[in-house]
Amino acid sequence: MASDSSDSDSYAETSHSSDDAELKPVENVEHLLMLSDEYQVKELIFNPCVEFLEVQPKTKENVMKIMALADLYNLHKVRQGCDDLLKNMKLKSLSETVHLQVLDKVKTQHYLTQRIKRLETFLDELYPQFFGLLAYSILLLHEAGKDVKWCTRHFSNGTLNFRLDISDSEIRKCSSCCEMLNSVVRSSMGKRSYGKDTYHYVGDNHFDYKLPKVMKDFYNYKRSIYEHE
């Protein structure tokens, strides 16, 4: 009976601890999950722990421990949150976090595949946004009467002729279109200051004379993805 009393006291203490599960660090939640499994206390201990792990911000420092708990207790939503963080990491950070060099081939392939899928999805979303914004910017420059050296073969009144798309090979291979894009770059720039280029728009991100090359590389990279599907 003394043992039953001791177990009851332990259960009461654990139940009280579970009330504050959201405030506990991941290490304490791991202990609580073990106790909930041992005492089969799902509603009072296990569920609050799962809710904590679901809302707990996933970071480079805690994601692997949280993922281990998610795999151990089949917490699919928690695992998805961990995967979302890892697939958005730069490769260097990913390698440092999951230690790719010591993982087996299957796990390494999983992490890298998740990252590749994320990048491909992002490129699919970015592609029409990038080229659409570029085409609209060129139209606005024409309407504003900016000093742009227009390609008269492919553009009329600031818009493309012949139902072309600005990412089409005919545009990318046209020397007049490339010169037009370079003149668009020049129209965005102010006078050099302290040896650096300045721009008529604020911020640290600017397009420059690499724009035609970026357009070409962007198109070729996206095409290569679809060719190998």
Side-chain angles (χ1 to χ4, degrees):
M1 294 298 294
S3 176
D4 290 341
S5 176
S6 176
D7 289 345
S8 177
D9 291 342
S10 297
Y11 172 78
E13 292 177 5
T14 305
S15 297
H16 177 72
S17 298
S18 68
D19 292 338
D20 299 322
E22 290 186 358
L23 303 177
K24 298 292 184 180
V26 175
E27 291 79 5
N28 287 348
V29 170
E30 180 180 15
H31 179 65
L32 290 171
L33 286 171
M34 292 174 59
L35 290 177
S36 71
D37 187 54
E38 179 181 352
Y39 290 105
Q40 293 296 300
V41 184
K42 185 172 183 179
E43 183 175 351
L44 294 177
I45 301 179
F46 185 83
N47 289 346
C49 288
V50 173
E51 292 174 4
F52 169 82
L53 292 176
E54 288 177 350
V55 301
Q56 174 72 6
K58 313 304 185 291
T59 67
K60 180 179 177 181
E61 290 71 28
N62 67 19
V63 66
M64 297 310 292
K65 180 176 284 292
I66 294 177
M67 181 178 289
L69 294 175
D71 290 341
L72 180 61
Y73 296 100
N74 296 317
L75 309 178
H76 300 295
K77 186 175 180 180
V78 176
R79 174 58 192 252
Q80 185 60 54
C82 296
D83 283 340
D84 288 344
L85 174 71
L86 293 173
K87 70 184 181 184
N88 287 307
M89 281 185 174
K90 288 187 175 181
L91 187 58
K92 183 175 184 294
S93 296
L94 177 65
S95 181
E96 292 172 350
T97 302
V98 304
H99 304 294
L100 293 175
Q101 67 274 17
V102 298
L103 289 179
D104 61 62
K105 183 178 180 180
V106 174
K107 289 184 177 180
T108 300
Q109 184 175 6
H110 168 76
Y111 290 124
L112 294 180
T113 299
Q114 290 293 313
R115 176 173 171 74
I116 291 171
K117 287 181 178 179
R118 174 68 186 99
L119 290 174
E120 289 181 353
T121 300
F122 174 72
L123 286 176
D124 285 341
E125 295 172 349
L126 177 62
Y127 189 86
Q129 300 289 333
F130 172 80
F131 284 106
L133 181 60
L134 178 59
Y136 186 56
S137 298
I138 291 174
L139 173 62
L140 292 179
L141 288 172
H142 177 270
E143 292 180 345
K146 295 295 184 179
D147 184 20
V148 173
K149 188 175 181 180
W150 298 100
C151 172
T152 56
R153 178 183 177 187
H154 295 118
F155 282 81
S156 176
N157 297 322
T159 59
L160 282 158
N161 299 329
F162 317 119
R163 297 184 179 274
L164 288 171
D165 188 276
I166 199 167
S167 63
D168 287 346
S169 61
E170 186 172 343
I171 304 299
R172 290 181 284 106
K173 294 178 181 179
C174 175
S175 59
S176 294
C177 284
C178 287
E179 178 55 33
M180 181 190 69
L181 291 172
N182 286 333
S183 69
V184 168
V185 173
R186 287 193 296 271
S187 72
S188 73
M189 300 173 66
K191 294 181 179 180
R192 287 179 64 85
S193 177
Y194 300 102
K196 296 180 63 176
D197 291 328
T198 62
Y199 297 83
H200 294 306
Y201 54 101
V202 297
D204 295 327
N205 297 314
H206 306 104
F207 62 91
D208 55 25
Y209 293 111
K210 294 191 290 289
L211 179 60
K213 180 180 183 300
V214 170
M215 291 173 58
K216 180 180 179 180
D217 290 345
F218 198 172
Y219 174 85
N220 288 338
Y221 182 74
K222 189 172 186 296
R223 184 182 63 178
S224 69
I225 292 176
Y226 284 103
E227 286 180 348
H228 293 88
E229 283 186 341

